[in-house]
Amino acid sequence: MSKMVRAGNLLFLAGQTSSGAPEAHTIEEQVTEALGRIDALLEHAGSSKQHLLSVTIYLKDMALFDRMNVAWQNWVDPQHLPVRCTVQATLGLPELLVEFSVTAAT
């Protein structure tokens, strides 16, 4: 499974989560870690969060939405907001609380 695919000037990132390590157990910690992974992948591809186009956020429990959203708002560039949706989903590992799917430009 690829974490990122480039098609022309578009980048597609899927399955971006925290590591699932015990030290990342709160939604805030998991969001911060996953967004850090997104930053690193975008930078590697010559892009950044200022070039986000679309983000889908998968939450294990919608009761975590407000807390996740605070962490998201602390990270995202308010001058370059992507379209975004958030859905509740069963994630691949029971310890994961959040997963991100991202489309960005280069």
Side-chain angles (χ1 to χ4, degrees), residues 3-81:
K3 293 291 183 186
M4 181 173 59
V5 172
R6 180 187 300 264
N9 69 335
L10 295 178
L11 301 170
F12 300 90
L13 291 72
Q16 300 307 306
T17 66
S18 75
S19 62
E23 61 271 9
H25 63 277
T26 69
I27 187 66
E28 294 85 357
E29 292 164 337
Q30 288 196 16
V31 168
T32 299
E33 185 179 341
L35 294 176
R37 290 170 181 255
I38 291 168
D39 278 331
L41 284 167
L42 291 173
E43 182 179 339
H44 178 74
S47 189
S48 68
K49 64 185 171 187
Q50 287 75 24
H51 298 284
L52 294 175
L53 301 173
S54 177
V55 177
T56 301
I57 303 171
Y58 303 94
L59 279 178
K60 182 176 186 174
D61 184 346
M62 286 305 279
L64 300 170
F65 179 86
D66 290 338
R67 292 171 52 203
M68 175 280 302
N69 207 43
V70 169
W72 164 265
Q73 289 174 345
N74 287 332
W75 176 80
V76 74
D77 182 340
Q79 300 301 314
H80 300 94
L81 294 172

